[in-house]
């Protein structure tokens, strides 16, 4: 029996996550609902998000080492007052971008990916509201397959 790959490995590693974030943020900047939130984003933002996703999905721990971990990510959302409508658009665009970028489409991967995106986007809304502060250390999330290994078609 072989070891179950991480979500990072199954997704295709850094190259796949870079494709995802580049496609995604290209769409975000053209979206009338999301563009105001992201219009002043650093040009390196898609790369930082790719590095973030890599660590969350079991890849290199570079975001923690180079960017400050989860506490830093939470702090990037403070005061942005993200609405539920913006969150839903962000989620839908990310799912569409995953298709466009060629991320695996198997149900197990997409289920784990969707679970993380829902969880993370809801935290972003919560921490973006006026008056919120980061007062306790936020642990770096680590996402996996849940209770199921990735589905693979039967071998011929």
């Amino acid at each position: 029996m072989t070891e179950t790959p991480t979500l990072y490995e199954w997704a295709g590693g850094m190259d796949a996550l870079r494709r995802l974030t580049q496609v995604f943020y290209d769409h975000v900047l053209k979206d009338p609902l999301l563009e105001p939130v992201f219009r002043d984003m650093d040009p390196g933002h898609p790369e930082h998000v790719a590095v973030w996703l890599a660590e969350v999905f079991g890849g290199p721990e570079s975001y923690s080492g180079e960017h400050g971990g989860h506490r830093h990510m939470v702090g990037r959302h403070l005061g942005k007052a993200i609405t539920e409508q913006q969150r839903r658009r962000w989620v839908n665009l990310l799912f569409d971008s995953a298709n466009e970028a060629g991320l695996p489409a198997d149900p197990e991967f997409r289920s784990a990916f969707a679970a993380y995106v829902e969880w993370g986007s809801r935290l972003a809304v919560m921490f973006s509201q006026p008056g919120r502060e980061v007062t306790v250390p936020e642990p770096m999330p680590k996402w996996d397959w849940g209770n199921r290994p990735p589905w693979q078609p039967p071998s011929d």
Side-chain angles (χ1 to χ4, degrees):
M1 183 172 169
T2 61
E3 188 174 313
T4 301
T6 64
L7 292 172
Y8 170 79
E9 293 165 333
W10 194 260
M14 277 308 301
D15 288 341
L17 296 175
R18 284 183 177 118
R19 269 194 326 273
L20 170 65
T21 57
Q22 193 59 59
V23 166
F24 174 66
Y25 285 106
D26 286 348
H27 290 305
V28 163
L29 290 175
K30 296 173 188 165
D31 185 273
L33 186 60
L34 295 177
E35 187 275 338
V37 177
F38 291 94
R39 80 172 40 123
D40 296 324
M41 81 174 166
D42 181 285
H45 186 69
E47 174 68 15
H48 296 160
V49 175
V51 171
W52 165 267
L53 290 172
E55 185 169 344
V56 168
F57 291 152
E61 295 183 358
S62 301
Y63 194 89
S64 290
E66 298 168 15
H67 301 288
H70 195 226
R71 183 179 177 89
H72 178 263
M73 178 63 83
V74 167
R76 301 297 299 160
H77 294 86
L78 295 177
K80 297 215 182 281
I82 300 167
T83 67
E84 177 58 17
Q85 185 182 17
Q86 289 169 321
R87 185 198 74 79
R88 285 194 316 270
R89 178 74 56 84
W90 189 92
V91 166
N92 289 334
L93 276 179
L94 189 57
F95 290 164
D96 291 345
S97 297
N99 293 337
E100 191 176 335
L103 264 62
D106 59 276
E108 289 76 15
F109 176 78
R110 289 301 177 98
S111 175
F113 182 76
Y116 170 71
V117 168
E118 277 292 322
W119 178 83
S121 67
R122 290 174 187 280
L123 278 184
V125 168
M126 181 180 74
F127 280 111
S128 76
Q129 299 312 302
R132 287 303 301 247
E133 295 180 19
V134 183
T135 57
V136 295
E138 294 292 327
M140 189 69 183
K142 299 289 184 186
W143 227 255
D144 64 21
W145 295 100
N147 295 330
R148 299 175 310 267
W151 179 85
Q152 295 183 33
S155 57
D156 293 349

